[in-house]
Amino acid sequence: MEKISNDICNIIIDNSYKHFDEELNEQNIYDSILIISDGNVYKSQGHDFVKNLKSKIIYEYIVSPGEDSKSLEVYEDIIKYCVRINLSRKSVIIALGGGVVGDLAGYVASTYMRGIDVIQVPTSLLAQVDSSIGGKTGINIGNFKNIIGTFYQPKFTYINVDVLKTLPEDEFRSGMSEVIKYSIIYDYNFLDYLINNSKDILNRGSEKLYYIVKKCASIKAEVVGKDEKEGGLRKILNFGHTFGHGVEKLCKISHGDAVSIGMNMAFKLSLKENLIDEKYYNNFLKVCKAYDLPLEFENADENEVLEIMKSDKKNSFSKINLVLPVDLGKVKVINTICEDRILEIIKECKYA
Ligand SMILES: NC(=O)c1ccc[n+]([C@@H]2O[C@H](COP(=O)([O-])OP(=O)(O)OC[C@H]3O[C@@H](n4cnc5c(N)ncnc54)[C@H](O)[C@@H]3O)[C@@H](O)[C@H]2O)c1
């Protein structure tokens, strides 16, 4: 077991749930616990997780797996459930699941009775390396993703890397795009590591999984520790996301697949603008190939992709904020690229 902490984040990385209860008691004495999870996760992890909790009043609220659960309706149902079981300000909510459960449970905790404690226990690769760290919570309204949300830090994030072994193949593969993202934005040597160790990582060897999750969680904690509310540095975490946003919505592909397509668009643009050389781009292509990540989209109109990029809530003063690679392991937020140029790049990444 290892800890990563700073003023904002408190993360425990482990290979089991054994030390969870200890950690919980160190934080506070809670009168009851509400575990929010989804059907898939609860089936594979619920028993193992709960058996490690000693002498507590435990409630469970299980949502349907998938993005649709991040809705106002599900939020309202959970709040009503909290009232019914008398969840108090001395209670704690535990989010046991992927990013959907984490965002939803975090939002419930941040608003119920003006905020009660929440603990993140991420179970997907994306959640372990990204969404469970940094305190962003959110729910969707229709097509508007995370349009309602808060910044609300969990008391701690408890990562049991071992649970990644039950994650469906496709979820694991697409989660790798967030892992790759960290190497491009922060640590170029990590990109080589990902290329050289792809077989063992894809076979989910315990040591390799532990290494990559710890590496990414440390980078995320460091970035968020320096810029909690995304005033500056934290924006680099959006690398691949602004471009990816449009294809994710229109092509109905996973978040991870959209991010790898989005990163490809950003790389192509940097190459055209002479911000990076061909060799660097080729290494990016190599890592995507190793993890079978897509680089092109289909079944969407490039103009519509651009329109969605323009409506991204991360833009400011009507300018599209793009995070572009500018050197090995370094990116920069650039908002001076004209729309025609962006459209050209989107077109280039459309599967012909
Ligand atoms: N808060 C943030 O900073 C942040 C950052 C990135 C993404 N997100 C959000 O995260 C969400 C996507 O998260 P996700 O990719 O984890 O999706 P998800 O929560 O839907 O999980 C993916 C699937 O894997 C299953 N699953 C999860 N862990 C499992 C396990 N160990 N074993 C078996 N099945 C398991 C889930 O039931 C689900 O079917 C999106 O809503 C996105 O907006 C939030």
Side-chain angles (χ1 to χ4, degrees):
M1 182 183 90
E2 283 176 277
K3 292 191 180 185
I4 302 166
S5 43
N6 57 34
D7 289 349
I8 309 291
C9 307
N10 191 5
I11 304 164
I12 293 121
I13 308 195
D14 207 347
N15 272 319
S16 72
Y17 289 126
K18 242 180 15 216
H19 300 100
F20 181 86
D21 202 63
E22 240 167 77
E23 209 51 48
L24 183 69
N25 291 322
E26 239 175 61
Q27 288 299 323
N28 217 331
I29 305 295
Y30 293 110
D31 63 3
S32 61
I33 295 174
L34 169 62
I35 299 171
I36 300 180
S37 190
D38 77 25
N40 293 339
V41 172
Y42 213 64
K43 205 162 115 197
S44 66
Q45 306 300 322
H47 175 72
D48 203 25
F49 181 72
V50 173
K51 79 171 192 228
N52 283 287
L53 299 173
K54 290 184 203 101
S55 60
K56 304 265 165 35
I57 301 174
I58 302 167
Y59 299 96
E60 291 146 7
Y61 193 100
I62 311 301
V63 301
S64 306
E67 190 69 26
D68 286 353
S69 285
K70 272 176 63 174
S71 69
L72 265 182
E73 293 74 26
V74 176
Y75 166 74
E76 190 182 344
D77 283 350
I78 300 177
I79 295 286
K80 284 180 180 158
Y81 181 73
C82 293
V83 174
R84 209 160 59 237
I85 61 173
N86 282 323
L87 208 70
S88 79
R89 299 189 80 172
K90 293 265 173 239
S91 309
V92 63
I93 290 179
I94 297 176
L96 177 70
V100 164
V101 163
D103 280 8
L104 172 70
Y107 185 62
V108 169
S110 74
T111 50
Y112 180 69
M113 292 189 168
R114 301 202 173 90
I116 67 169
D117 284 356
V118 64
I119 292 162
Q120 294 282 348
V121 184
T123 61
S124 69
L125 182 57
L126 179 138
Q128 294 199 345
V129 301
D130 190 1
S131 61
S132 67
I133 303 163
K136 281 190 185 177
T137 79
I139 56 173
N140 311 324
I141 296 215
N143 256 342
F144 299 102
K145 271 198 76 172
N146 302 320
I147 198 73
I148 300 179
T150 49
F151 282 99
Y152 194 71
Q153 296 301 336
K155 284 310 262 185
F156 62 95
T157 296
Y158 193 99
I159 306 177
N160 171 5
V161 179
D162 201 54
V163 303
L164 294 180
K165 301 206 168 132
T166 62
L167 191 65
E169 192 69 37
D170 218 37
E171 296 292 342
F172 184 81
R173 183 194 55 73
S174 72
M176 279 307 297
S177 66
E178 295 283 358
V179 173
I180 292 166
K181 177 188 85 178
Y182 287 105
S183 69
I184 312 289
I185 65 172
Y186 222 72
D187 186 340
Y188 183 69
N189 291 335
F190 187 43
L191 183 67
D192 281 338
Y193 179 88
L194 294 174
I195 294 173
N196 296 333
N197 293 279
S198 61
K199 269 209 181 103
D200 288 344
I201 293 171
L202 285 167
N203 284 333
R204 303 191 213 178
S206 298
E207 250 176 61
K208 303 282 180 207
L209 284 185
Y210 193 93
Y211 179 81
I212 61 166
V213 171
K214 185 179 157 198
K215 167 68 87 182
C216 299
S218 310
I219 297 175
K220 175 112 193 215
E222 196 174 323
V223 171
V224 170
K226 288 179 181 161
D227 174 22
E228 185 187 7
K229 301 266 167 77
E230 206 165 305
L233 181 70
R234 189 168 175 168
K235 290 189 169 83
I236 67 171
L237 296 168
N238 298 327
F239 173 57
H241 287 63
T242 311
F243 272 118
H245 198 51
V247 289
E248 181 173 2
K249 256 189 179 176
L250 296 169
C251 310
K252 304 258 180 290
I253 53 176
S254 71
H255 180 74
D257 282 356
V259 168
S260 72
I261 296 168
M263 290 194 291
N264 187 36
M265 291 178 183
F267 259 99
K268 273 181 178 286
L269 186 53
S270 281
L271 199 58
K272 281 226 160 118
E273 299 285 321
N274 292 318
L275 299 171
I276 55 160
D277 62 20
E278 191 97 27
K279 191 166 165 236
Y280 187 21
Y281 180 48
N282 286 336
N283 259 0
F284 167 73
L285 294 180
K286 206 164 160 185
V287 77
C288 288
K289 189 160 181 244
Y291 293 95
D292 197 19
L293 289 164
L295 299 166
E296 294 175 332
F297 68 97
E298 55 187 341
N299 302 327
D301 180 78
E302 52 273 18
N303 292 293
E304 281 184 50
V305 174
L306 179 65
E307 280 313 305
I308 293 178
M309 285 176 74
K310 281 161 68 179
S311 67
D312 192 324
K313 62 182 176 306
K314 283 159 185 147
N315 293 333
S316 45
F317 304 106
S318 313
K319 296 224 158 94
I320 302 179
N321 285 327
L322 294 172
V323 183
L324 300 180
V326 290
D327 202 348
L328 304 181
K330 282 208 178 78
V331 291
K332 211 170 153 189
V333 181
I334 296 178
N335 65 8
T336 50
I337 313 275
C338 70
E339 280 181 25
D340 288 350
R341 194 100 169 125
I342 297 174
L343 188 63
E344 217 176 277
I345 294 294
I346 301 174
K347 260 192 212 156
E348 274 187 36
C349 293
K350 187 170 169 176
Y351 187 69

